[in-house]
Amino acid sequence: MILIDRLIQRGVLNESQKSSLEEIANNLGNRPLHDVIIEKGFAREQIVLQAISDEFGLDLVDLTQKTIDPELITIMPSKLVHRKNLFPVERHNGTLKVATGDPFDVYALDELSTLTGLDIYPVLASSREISRLIKQHFGVGGETVSALVQEQDDIELLEGIEADDSELAKQAQEASVVKLVNEILIEAANERASDIHIEPEEKGLKIRYRIDGLLQTQILPPEISRFQSAIISRIKIMSRLNIAEKRLPQDGRIKMRVQGREIDVRVSIIPMIHGEGIVMRLLDKGRMVFNLANVGMLPSVYGIFKQLIDRPHGIVLVTGPTGSGKSTTLYSALNEIKDESTKIITVEDPVEYQQSGISQIQTHAKIGLTFSASLRSILRHDPDVILIGEMRDLETAQAAIQSSLTGHLVFSTLHTNDAPSAFTRLIDMGIEPFLVASTVEGVMAQRLVRTICPECKEEYTPELVDVPRDFPGLDLEKEIIPKVHKGTGCRACRQTGYKGRTGIHELMVNNDEIRDMIVERVNATVIRKAALRGGMNTLRADGWNKVQMGKTTIDEVARTTAGDVVLK
């Protein structure tokens, strides 16, 4: 309890927090108290570590600023590294400087000294940063793989498990693989990954996490490739898929709980040249907040969009590529208009997030419960608002059109690059132009851009060549460039300069001029020019506004949007 008293003396904690912290301290198990204080949000990590550093007389080091010598990795016992969260910093003669997040564990330091034959000089560092470096240099699941190699040299036989029907062999192998797959899933959830890519290659297995929209390769122990078949089989078991089927694509679903958060995982398995490739999409229900105020709309866009979703009938579309936040925007819109007097029914494939107060239908194509079949039935349930997960075919689009003509407000998504292209896409599907013109009230195109990390955000003036010439309101001829912001990279954002994402939006509202163009079947470029004359703010322009507001960077907007049409 000395640490609690020291933090109270420093004014970091107050007396009212002491009793709850003492109760936590009595139920810690093997976890250090200061880690729990930081995790529960009682105090910031840097302040707590500084207090421990002063108390023990230990040097406090920032591992993000350290260059790691690869030779030091080879002398560290892998089991001790993972079990005790120790990481080598530097070596001088016979002394090894080691970063620890728990200076109270002197036995771990003594054990390290015995195993290495070196004098150990401990320094204090962030436990989270030590764990990140261990995963970076020793690999995700490194401890489990080491145990597998030592305990089961013939683990590759898992592929031929049908040849060995002994219960003992099955249980021993399954238990080890369960732990390894769980570590991969937990690591992805903790890193805020939206997808896990498990990719077989000629020389082994590759795992990548999609974090804030970009894929990041995970360092893995080289031995993990020996367990490729076991990993895939375990994931199939968790997804309730056919383990024996290795020739055809399969889709499944995993429901799991990680640190109290419920996470839904959609699994897709496709046979490839070097084995089966797996992509798992993680839907972290605990981190989702469906609120239009949180999706990143500017006040001017929000005001117009709110008018659209408050209309009594018509179709409102949200367009964009996969992973651009379309479902989040639509769920947020439903929550905005949801009340006791409104009946809302959704038809989705799959139902990603369960929402109270909304009736949700999961399609099942194998038994004939398709989007269009569901729509024909739910009109008898007297809905006010209908959400269709996606307009995939002519039959679904016709059902949506019919629903809007009979007095219902319909929300749906389309895969188009911008808002004006939604009209021509519906006509290409086979919908009559006059029906498209009379029912579609508005289209929202959107993308997700990474937001600047607040911990390392700084102002700067970009170079002239780094600013796209089509950003609105810039006078590049006079070389007048406003100051903007960027992230320099820090511990909180894993040195990327970004943390989290926000939306950029292009909202197009139908009007008489555009309706006439739709009926005349003009192309999307002409409709786009008419919308721009009518005041539509493009994705590029909305992104530039968010750059000027300090939310994102020029590079992010340029990466996610195409250049706008410049009207003469």
Side-chain angles (χ1 to χ4, degrees):
M1 307 302 176
I2 297 174
L3 176 61
I4 297 174
D5 293 332
R6 289 287 185 270
L7 291 174
I8 290 174
Q9 290 174 9
R10 288 169 175 258
V12 176
L13 302 176
N14 55 53
E15 290 289 345
S16 62
Q17 295 172 313
K18 185 173 182 179
S19 57
S20 58
L21 280 171
E22 287 176 343
E23 184 179 343
I24 291 172
N26 293 326
N27 298 283
L28 281 173
N30 295 324
R31 295 196 63 192
L33 174 60
H34 64 275
D35 274 359
V36 180
I37 292 174
I38 295 165
E39 183 184 298
K40 299 289 185 183
F42 286 99
R44 292 184 60 186
E45 182 179 59
Q46 193 63 28
I47 296 173
V48 174
L49 292 179
Q50 190 62 58
I52 296 173
S53 171
D54 295 344
E55 182 66 25
F56 281 83
L58 290 174
D59 294 335
L60 179 60
V61 297
D62 182 359
L63 293 179
T64 62
Q65 305 301 318
K66 292 288 184 181
T67 301
I68 306 302
D69 183 355
E71 290 187 8
L72 294 181
I73 305 299
T74 62
I75 66 173
M76 288 291 287
S78 179
K79 278 191 172 181
L80 195 60
V81 165
H82 288 281
R83 194 171 72 248
K84 297 298 185 181
N85 214 38
L86 301 173
F87 195 84
V89 178
E90 59 186 56
R91 179 181 178 179
H92 183 66
N93 295 331
T95 300
L96 180 65
K97 185 181 288 188
V98 176
T100 176
D102 184 10
F104 304 93
D105 191 357
V106 293
Y107 296 106
L109 301 173
D110 289 343
E111 186 178 353
L112 180 60
S113 178
T114 302
L115 291 172
T116 60
L118 299 170
D119 293 329
I120 303 301
Y121 181 81
V123 294
L124 187 63
S126 160
S127 295
R128 185 160 48 89
E129 189 60 32
I130 293 173
S131 296
R132 185 187 69 80
L133 284 174
I134 289 173
K135 290 183 177 71
Q136 179 179 328
H137 292 276
F138 289 88
V140 176
E143 182 182 12
T144 304
V145 172
S146 297
L148 280 168
V149 170
Q150 290 180 9
E151 295 170 11
Q152 299 179 16
D153 292 332
D154 58 348
I155 189 67
E156 293 171 350
L157 295 179
L158 266 175
E159 188 173 6
I161 201 168
E162 294 177 2
D164 184 2
D165 290 330
S166 73
E167 290 298 320
L168 185 62
K170 288 181 180 179
Q171 290 172 4
Q173 294 178 14
E174 184 180 346
S176 302
V177 175
V178 164
K179 184 177 180 184
L180 179 56
V181 172
N182 285 351
E183 285 187 33
I184 293 170
L185 288 167
I186 291 168
E187 173 71 7
N190 290 339
E191 293 294 338
R192 300 178 295 106
S194 61
D195 301 85
I196 304 171
H197 292 241
I198 300 178
E199 302 163 329
E201 296 183 336
E202 185 178 2
K203 296 183 179 179
L205 200 64
K206 184 177 184 179
I207 297 181
R208 295 192 287 175
Y209 296 157
R210 190 177 293 280
I211 301 173
D212 290 337
L214 294 182
L215 285 170
Q216 298 182 16
T217 301
Q218 299 303 301
I219 304 297
L220 299 170
E223 299 87 357
I224 201 171
S225 298
R226 297 174 57 186
F227 315 115
Q228 177 175 327
S229 297
I231 291 169
I232 293 171
S233 295
R234 174 58 189 167
I235 292 171
K236 284 183 177 179
I237 290 170
M238 296 173 74
S239 312
R240 300 183 180 182
L241 299 176
N242 185 355
I243 298 176
E245 181 56 74
K246 301 178 185 297
R247 301 166 301 169
L248 297 173
Q250 297 188 73
D251 294 313
R253 194 169 184 174
I254 303 170
K255 290 184 178 181
M256 64 181 190
R257 192 181 298 275
V258 176
Q259 297 175 347
R261 304 196 315 271
E262 189 176 339
I263 297 178
D264 208 0
V265 184
R266 294 192 315 208
V267 181
S268 176
I269 302 179
I270 298 179
M272 297 182 179
I273 295 175
H274 301 293
E276 292 175 286
I278 300 179
V279 174
M280 295 184 280
R281 168 154 289 191
L282 277 64
L283 303 173
D284 192 341
K285 298 180 180 181
R287 286 182 172 163
M288 292 305 300
V289 179
F290 296 111
N291 186 327
L292 278 180
N294 294 334
V295 300
M297 289 185 196
L298 296 175
S300 57
V301 176
Y302 170 80
I304 299 171
F305 190 67
K306 184 69 167 66
Q307 292 175 18
L308 283 176
I309 65 177
D310 283 336
R311 294 189 179 186
H313 53 78
I315 297 176
V316 177
L317 297 173
V318 179
T319 77
T322 301
S324 59
K326 300 187 296 295
S327 296
T328 301
T329 298
L330 286 176
Y331 276 124
S332 300
L334 292 182
N335 275 330
E336 190 90 2
I337 62 177
K338 179 177 69 177
D339 59 38
E340 291 297 322
S341 63
T342 303
K343 172 81 169 187
I344 301 174
I345 301 181
T346 74
V347 186
E348 305 167 69
D349 180 25
V351 174
E352 294 181 344
Y353 300 99
Q354 296 178 21
Q355 297 288 296
S356 61
I358 298 175
S359 304
Q360 295 172 279
I361 299 171
Q362 167 85 51
T363 62
H364 200 319
K366 289 183 179 178
I367 60 172
L369 186 61
T370 60
F371 279 110
S372 54
S374 301
L375 281 170
R376 286 194 297 270
S377 299
I378 65 177
L379 290 178
R380 303 188 194 103
H381 273 244
D382 188 31
D384 299 296
V385 180
I386 300 169
L387 167 64
I388 305 169
E390 182 185 345
M391 287 196 189
R392 296 180 177 176
D393 50 43
L394 174 59
E395 198 175 3
T396 303
Q398 286 175 331
I401 294 282
Q402 202 60 42
S403 299
S404 69
L405 289 173
T406 52
H408 302 89
L409 180 62
V410 180
F411 293 132
S412 190
T413 69
L414 270 179
H415 288 287
T416 62
N417 289 326
D418 58 12
S421 298
F423 296 109
T424 54
R425 174 64 58 84
L426 289 173
I427 293 171
D428 289 342
M429 280 183 180
I431 302 296
E432 290 294 335
F434 74 91
L435 290 175
V436 176
S438 60
T439 56
V440 179
E441 299 292 343
V443 184
M444 169 83 82
Q446 69 177 58
R447 299 287 187 279
L448 290 177
V449 293
R450 292 182 293 173
T451 51
I452 300 171
C453 173
E455 300 290 331
C456 59
K457 182 177 178 179
E458 70 173 22
E459 190 178 56
Y460 79 109
T461 302
E463 296 293 331
L464 184 64
V465 294
D466 294 332
V467 183
R469 305 189 70 80
D470 62 336
F471 273 5
L474 290 178
D475 192 349
L476 299 181
E477 300 300 327
K478 296 182 179 178
E479 299 189 6
I480 300 173
I481 304 174
K483 289 187 175 181
V484 293
H485 293 82
K486 66 178 179 181
T488 57
C490 66
R491 181 188 303 166
C493 62
R494 302 181 73 187
Q495 306 302 320
T496 62
Y498 300 97
K499 191 172 185 181
R501 289 190 291 177
T502 190
I504 56 175
H505 305 90
E506 175 178 284
L507 180 57
M508 177 178 176
V509 180
N510 210 347
N511 57 35
D512 291 340
E513 181 185 6
I514 293 172
R515 286 191 181 95
D516 290 340
M517 290 181 174
I518 295 168
V519 172
E520 294 170 6
R521 294 177 180 263
V522 302
N523 64 43
T525 303
V526 178
I527 296 175
R528 182 178 182 81
K529 290 180 179 180
L532 289 170
R533 288 195 297 271
M536 181 183 79
N537 209 25
T538 66
L539 285 167
R540 194 87 155 180
D542 192 64
W544 175 237
N545 285 334
K546 290 184 170 68
V547 169
Q548 292 176 299
M549 294 165 65
K551 290 185 176 181
T552 189
T553 64
I554 292 173
D555 290 343
E556 271 298 286
V557 175
R559 179 179 68 85
T560 55
T561 63
D564 287 335
V565 176
V566 180
L567 299 178
K568 299 295 183 183

